Amino acid sequence: MPDYWSTLDVDLHLLLEPDAGRRVGLEHALREAIRDGRLAAGARLPSTRTLATELGLSRGTVSSAYDQLIAEGHLIAKQGSGTRVAATVTTRDAATPHISRDPKQIAAVRHTLRAGTPDVNRFPTAAWLKAARKALNSAPSEAFGYGDPRGRIELRSALAEYLGRTRGVLATPDRIIITTGVQQALALLATALLDSGTSTIAMEDPYIPSFRDTVRSAGPDVRPLPVDDDGARVDLLTTGEFENVGAAVITPSHQFPIGSTLSPARRQQLADWARAGHLVIEDDYDGEFRYDRQPVGAIQGIAPDHVVYLGTASKTLGPGLRLAWMVLPPHLVGPVTEAKLLADRHSETLGQLTLAEMITSHAYDRHIRSSRLRYRRRRDLLADRLKPRAGRPLTGFALGGIAAGLHALIRLEPAGLTEDEVLSRAAEYGLELAGLTEMWLTPIQPDRPQGIVVGFAAPSDSAYPAALDALVRSLSWGSTGGRNPHR
């Protein structure tokens, strides 16, 4: 019969087989719980008296079952510490061999320059804890129940002020929805747009593959929009190829992964296209980090009724917080709120309250300013290390996209190393990198540029120099074994 340990040290479902004897049935149930990992190594079992009472067995039956499992090596018993699962027990999951997800990986990853994450080693723990204590002490009791699908009013109010002040966004709290990351925001938008008749959405090419997959899985088709050094080719949106496109996802401040900024002329073209009855979804994923000039304001500020603004704490604080936001045109607030309610009701509350306190106390501004200086130094060090020097012929590539953001693009020239060659050599040095090829939507073309996307924010301060050393070796002709690079 099924029984539950409800008042003991562990909470575990045991199925005692009715056809087996009581002692044998208990032995089997405990043995299976240990092998399945439901009783982990080191877990303390209840006393024989307590377990006997809970399961309706005699104490002698439980003692005999414990003794048998101790003899088999599944349990250990020590005076004063009770009976525990042996630390050497192998569970079924532990016996399953690990299979690498990357068949091209030659050596273990020792360094990473993968784009997409900040230096989480510098998470502002002290400021976050201070803000969390203050936020929790002043939070109303209803904050710990089910809430508004749009998110806590404290955070939406703080973001309305912050985004207007720092990014030129025109927002009111009632037009902001808090989401569990930008990826969820795209899923909610795609769902709402499909319901309203938008069946095709343009997305930059290249761009983040998982974001494209998210939009597709929600229903709309994805039309690739080319990108060049002036940003997305928004001029193409008015051509016949895009006549059935109702919305476009754009990264105007710092295109990912090319790194270009949408030119002023194209910004105006995009705003005009939006006002003509279309929707722009502005992904401002790292707009806080611009190094060589003043930040470019959000496009939402010049067409607020036709642009959805997406922002996130993943690049400023850390993706583990799962906090992002969107500022919506009035006509989309209702449909997207309904989609959010159906998706997960609302995002978690404690992080929202804490971030709201950090913003209103300006601790968030202070953290971003210090992060901006640190990442600029890293950007500068990257550019310096990739300059050719005597005895180290670094040629065959160009560094771009470094005016802003947390990543740069190394464009590989046709006469130099190929993308696969650089990635293969990086793997030999234990360096994790991403190539440009994996981010294209359109099929591979012979004249398509190749490149390496370098995230200079991810490593810790102490690990960054070694990661750059591995990058330089991966790009240097000196390690080609004498092969003529100009083939």
Side-chain angles (χ1 to χ4, degrees):
M1 62 178 179
D3 283 285
Y4 294 87
W5 300 352
S6 57
T7 60
L8 310 179
D9 301 316
V10 290
D11 196 8
L12 182 69
H13 175 263
L14 287 178
L15 181 62
L16 303 185
E17 298 179 2
D19 295 336
R22 289 179 171 240
R23 179 181 61 79
V24 174
L26 179 57
E27 288 175 13
H28 178 76
L30 288 170
R31 195 179 291 114
E32 286 299 301
I34 293 170
R35 288 175 177 171
D36 289 342
R38 289 177 286 140
L39 273 175
R44 186 170 71 87
L45 272 67
S47 68
T48 56
R49 184 189 302 276
T50 303
L51 183 56
T53 300
E54 288 289 325
L55 298 182
L57 303 174
S58 70
R59 187 177 179 186
T61 297
V62 177
S63 295
S64 297
Y66 277 15
D67 290 343
Q68 179 61 33
L69 269 65
I70 289 171
E72 294 175 3
H74 289 91
L75 301 177
I76 55 174
K78 292 184 179 180
Q79 186 69 31
S81 61
T83 304
R84 295 179 180 272
V85 177
T88 57
V89 169
T90 300
T91 67
R92 292 192 177 102
D93 285 344
T96 303
H98 173 72
I99 301 174
S100 174
R101 291 182 297 173
D102 185 4
K104 297 168 66 175
Q105 185 172 344
I106 299 174
V109 173
R110 300 190 300 275
H111 319 288
T112 182
L113 289 173
R114 189 94 183 177
T117 181
D119 180 3
V120 294
N121 299 281
R122 298 299 292 266
F123 182 84
T125 304
W128 185 264
L129 287 174
K130 180 180 179 181
R133 283 193 294 267
K134 185 173 182 181
L136 291 176
N137 284 334
S138 59
S141 57
E142 52 88 13
F144 304 101
Y146 292 114
D148 191 327
R150 294 174 298 176
R152 290 297 305 176
I153 185 60
E154 296 91 340
L155 180 56
R156 291 188 285 121
S157 298
L159 284 171
E161 183 275 332
Y162 172 78
L163 295 175
R165 171 168 53 85
T166 64
R167 303 296 298 126
V169 173
L170 300 178
T172 54
D174 60 296
R175 290 171 58 176
I176 296 177
I177 293 181
I178 309 301
T179 62
T180 308
V182 169
Q183 198 155 340
Q184 187 193 48
L186 286 173
L188 299 177
L189 284 167
T191 299
L193 290 174
L194 185 65
D195 290 343
S196 65
T198 298
S199 60
T200 305
I201 296 177
M203 301 185 77
E204 294 173 332
D205 191 28
Y207 190 47
I208 303 171
S210 62
F211 283 13
R212 290 195 296 260
D213 293 342
T214 294
V215 171
R216 281 171 163 165
S217 66
D221 293 330
V222 172
R223 185 70 50 81
L225 183 64
V227 174
D228 60 23
D229 290 338
D230 286 327
R233 289 286 310 277
V234 298
D235 55 303
L236 298 177
L237 292 173
T238 58
T239 64
E241 181 182 357
F242 290 87
E243 63 180 353
N244 64 336
V245 168
V249 181
I250 308 291
T251 54
S253 294
H254 187 230
Q255 203 279 331
F256 188 91
I258 299 297
S260 53
T261 298
L262 196 64
S263 68
R266 290 187 183 178
R267 286 170 61 89
Q268 189 58 54
Q269 284 180 317
L270 184 61
D272 291 342
W273 179 79
R275 294 190 190 100
H278 305 92
L279 183 73
V280 171
I281 302 171
E282 180 177 10
D283 180 4
D284 194 34
Y285 66 100
D286 64 359
E288 291 89 349
F289 299 113
R290 179 160 289 276
Y291 310 116
D292 296 331
R293 59 178 177 172
Q294 288 296 316
V296 178
I299 289 179
Q300 191 271 357
I302 59 177
D305 291 338
H306 306 279
V307 177
V308 175
Y309 176 89
L310 304 181
T312 178
S314 293
K315 305 300 181 285
T316 55
L317 292 171
L321 295 179
R322 310 311 301 138
L323 282 173
W325 44 87
M326 49 182 158
V327 181
L328 297 164
H331 71 279
L332 281 177
V333 172
V336 177
T337 299
E338 178 68 16
K340 174 65 174 175
L341 177 64
L342 296 176
D344 61 1
R345 191 166 185 117
H346 61 78
S347 298
E348 66 87 26
T349 297
L350 301 186
Q352 293 186 55
L353 294 173
T354 302
L355 181 57
E357 173 58 31
M358 282 195 70
I359 293 174
T360 55
S361 68
H362 300 296
Y364 189 63
D365 288 81
R366 291 190 291 271
H367 170 71
I368 289 176
R369 285 199 299 271
S370 65
S371 298
R372 188 183 296 130
L373 292 173
R374 184 168 69 255
Y375 293 141
R376 177 171 184 163
R377 288 193 292 266
R378 293 204 183 178
R379 188 278 311 259
D380 293 345
L381 182 58
L382 170 67
D384 181 69
R385 291 296 305 275
L386 294 184
K387 290 179 181 177
R389 287 180 170 81
R392 195 184 70 193
L394 279 170
T395 59
F397 65 86
L399 184 66
I402 62 174
L406 305 181
H407 79 276
L409 177 65
I410 297 176
R411 298 172 184 255
L412 300 176
E413 298 173 357
L417 293 170
T418 68
E419 189 176 304
D420 283 343
E421 286 173 331
V422 174
L423 293 176
S424 177
R425 294 165 64 182
E428 293 178 359
Y429 298 123
L431 174 62
E432 183 184 26
L433 285 174
L436 191 58
T437 296
E438 66 185 73
M439 301 181 189
W440 293 97
L441 173 60
T442 50
I444 296 176
Q445 302 168 2
D447 59 345
R448 172 175 292 167
Q450 295 192 5
I452 303 297
V453 184
V454 178
F456 52 80
S460 64
D461 289 340
S462 60
Y464 188 52
L468 289 183
D469 288 341
L471 177 64
V472 169
R473 290 197 296 270
S474 301
L475 293 166
S476 298
W477 297 125
S479 57
T480 62
R483 178 180 62 80
N484 180 8
H486 302 291
R487 52 197 183 281

